[in-house]
Each structure stands twice: as C-alpha cells, then as structure tokens.
Amino acid sequence: MNKPIKRAFLDTEDGQILYRIGGEGETLLLLHMNPHSSDEYRELMSILVKQYQVIAMDMMGFGDSDKPPRMYTIADYAKTVITLLDELGIKTISILGHHFGAFIAGEIAATFPERVEKIILCNVAGFGEEGKAELSRRFTKGFNIKEDGSHLIERWSARASYVGSAELNHRWVLDDLKCFGYPLYAVWAVGNYCLDAAERFSLIKCPTLMLWGIHDVQEFEKLGLAKEKDRFFITKAIPHGKVVDFPGGTICMMNQIPEEISKVVIEFLDNTNV
C-alpha cells in the first residue's frame, strides 16, 4: 500500500512555504534544484516514504511558495529550512540536496551541525570565477515573459534533447514558468556563495554521500557554467565523503532514475558504519 504524501503550507515572517510530507520514521529532507520545485522528487518520494518520513519543500521564490521579500542568500534559505523543522517539531534530519538544493543542504550542515545526521549532495558544481561571471550574466538576463510567447518554446526546448518524456518536460516547464517575471533568486544566491563553498563545506563533519550524474556534469561544461574537473573541490572539502557516479545521469536524474538513486540513498542512510 502506497504511503500518502500530503501538501501543506507553513506561514513564516517572509511568506508561505509549500511542503510535501509523507511516511514515518527518521526524517529525510529533500531540497530541489533551480528552477524546479518539490515536484522534482515526486517519483523519489513515493519510494522513500516506505521507509522514512520524507519532506520536500518548495523553496521561497519557487513552485507554490511565496516570493521572498528580498534577495535571499543561501544562508537565508538554510534558516528557512530550520524554521520549517522547528514548526514541525523535528530535532534532527538527514538531507538530500540537488544543485541549488545541495548548496543549501551544505550550508545547513555547516551552520547547524547538531541538526543533521547525514547529508547527500548531488551534482554540486565547482563554478569558480568564470562560472560566477556566467551566473551573473544569466541573473542579469533573467526569465522574461515575451509578447510573442516565444519564452514558452524556449523553455520546452531547453531540455528536450535529454528529458526523455514529454509529460516530464511539461512538469518542468510549469515549474519554470512560475519563476518568470521575478529575479532569478537561486542564480543570485549561488553566485554569491559559490566561491566560499569549499570553505563552508569543509565544516561538514557528518557522514556524507556525493552523487554525480555524469551527463549533467558534462552539460554544465558545454554551457560554460562549470568545468567537469572543478567538481572535485567538494571531495577535497569533505574528504570523508563517499562518491557514487551515475554515468547516464542528467539534470533530470531524480525523475528519470529514482529506483537507482533510492537504492544508493537507502543503503547510505541505513548503514550504521558510516
């Protein structure tokens, strides 16, 4: 029997946050990438709720959560997570974060180590100076609504070559469009955090798993965002971390290969020797 996953809202000083919650037991928090929402984890949650209490948030400025009243830093997003946990009465968690969500997860583990049991960091790009400059350019360009509607097909085409499913691409585009007409909050936040990420992540002492979708890493290099070799900054910052590669893993890997990912995640979370 499938465990029900409920949608709920939390009122904060800065606005409402949408979160999905289901299952029982130890808590696993899922933090999405940019410009996605908690929908990124729809397939993965349905597997993981059989063993854990699983929570997936729409970070502020994404999905069905409110837009933040100011430009949020990665530290702001981390505090928002803690606000949700406190409201739910949850003392400690494990966290899985993907891209943007991984930077938030890392900051939570660095700033609130007493709250994090284990952490899973997925596709954390090593941006460097060139990557930061490209993020700044993309932030300035933004997601703009165009009179002729061409922004719709542009977003559809952005992943069409590898998303693998029209239905999945439709879900992604719906999330994309919720970010149009607003600043690119995550791009700004990551751009202002990425050069400090190695120092911040070096504070992470809890058991750590790093997941890489190799297709995703290669695509980021093609886009001029982050060189493949620079991703290893994270293994230097967290030398005790375990690394697992998914050779065909794309930016959509949470949706595309949830069985493979969940197997690795469950093995890590259930391993008492790490």
Side-chain angles (χ1 to χ4, degrees), residues 6 21-22 65 68 85 92 98 120 148 155 158 172 177 199 214:
K6 300 177 181 178
I21 184 168
S65 288
L85 297 179
T92 61
H98 188 210
I120 304 162
D148 62 358
R155 294 315 302 162
W172 275 66
L177 297 182
E199 180 181 353
I214 302 304

Side-chain angles (χ1 to χ4, degrees), residues 80-256:
T80 301
V81 170
I82 298 299
T83 298
L84 175 62
L85 297 179
D86 288 345
E87 179 66 23
L88 296 176
I90 298 172
K91 299 281 188 191
T92 61
I93 56 169
S94 292
I95 317 177
L96 184 157
H98 188 210
H99 276 299
F100 166 54
F103 284 104
I104 300 170
E107 180 61 20
I108 294 168
T111 306
F112 306 97
E114 73 282 359
R115 305 296 294 267
V116 181
E117 299 286 346
K118 295 184 179 181
I119 189 171
I120 304 162
L121 304 173
C122 309
N123 293 325
V124 184
F127 287 104
E129 292 286 358
E130 291 182 8
K132 180 176 181 178
E134 178 60 16
L135 289 172
S136 178
R137 186 192 71 80
R138 288 172 181 251
F139 172 75
T140 302
K141 182 179 178 182
F143 274 176
N144 300 308
I145 300 170
K146 299 181 180 179
E147 292 294 334
D148 62 358
S150 58
H151 62 290
L152 302 175
I153 193 64
E154 286 173 2
R155 294 315 302 162
W156 183 270
S157 301
R159 292 172 293 266
S161 64
Y162 55 82
V163 73
S165 160
E167 188 274 341
L168 177 56
N169 205 13
H170 179 71
R171 285 164 50 192
W172 275 66
V173 171
L174 290 177
D175 271 350
D176 289 352
L177 297 182
K178 290 176 181 179
C179 298
F180 270 69
Y182 298 94
L184 299 184
Y185 296 107
V187 174
W188 185 87
V190 172
N192 284 278
Y193 185 86
C194 61
L195 298 186
D196 297 323
E199 180 181 353
R200 297 300 298 161
F201 284 16
S202 69
L203 300 175
I204 298 173
K205 305 304 179 186
C206 65
T208 303
L209 174 65
M210 305 169 206
L211 305 182
W212 293 103
I214 302 304
H215 179 282
D216 184 22
V217 173
Q218 295 168 343
E219 192 67 21
F220 255 49
E221 182 159 345
K222 290 178 184 177
L223 293 172
L225 280 163
K227 296 178 181 178
E228 182 175 357
K229 64 180 180 63
D230 290 342
R231 66 188 170 110
F232 296 112
F233 88 91
I234 192 172
T235 55
K236 295 178 182 177
I238 315 174
H240 62 274
K242 176 184 177 182
V243 177
V244 176
D245 290 344
F246 295 91
T250 75
I251 200 170
C252 314
M253 60 192 276
M254 298 300 163
N255 304 106
Q256 291 173 328

Side-chain angles (χ1 to χ4, degrees), residues 49-98:
V49 293
K50 298 173 184 177
Q51 294 188 223
Y52 314 104
Q53 175 175 253
V54 185
I55 302 171
M57 303 170 62
D58 286 5
M59 305 308 295
M60 296 200 77
F62 299 88
D64 292 329
S65 288
D66 287 344
K67 310 301 174 185
R70 63 185 183 278
M71 294 305 297
Y72 255 30
T73 63
I74 293 295
D76 286 325
Y77 280 112
K79 291 175 184 176
T80 301
V81 170
I82 298 299
T83 298
L84 175 62
L85 297 179
D86 288 345
E87 179 66 23
L88 296 176
I90 298 172
K91 299 281 188 191
T92 61
I93 56 169
S94 292
I95 317 177
L96 184 157
H98 188 210

Side-chain angles (χ1 to χ4, degrees), residues 35-52:
H36 220 334
S37 73
S38 58
D39 183 68
E40 178 178 15
Y41 295 111
R42 188 191 300 183
E43 292 85 356
L44 198 59
M45 281 191 80
S46 66
I47 300 172
L48 295 174
V49 293
K50 298 173 184 177
Q51 294 188 223
Y52 314 104

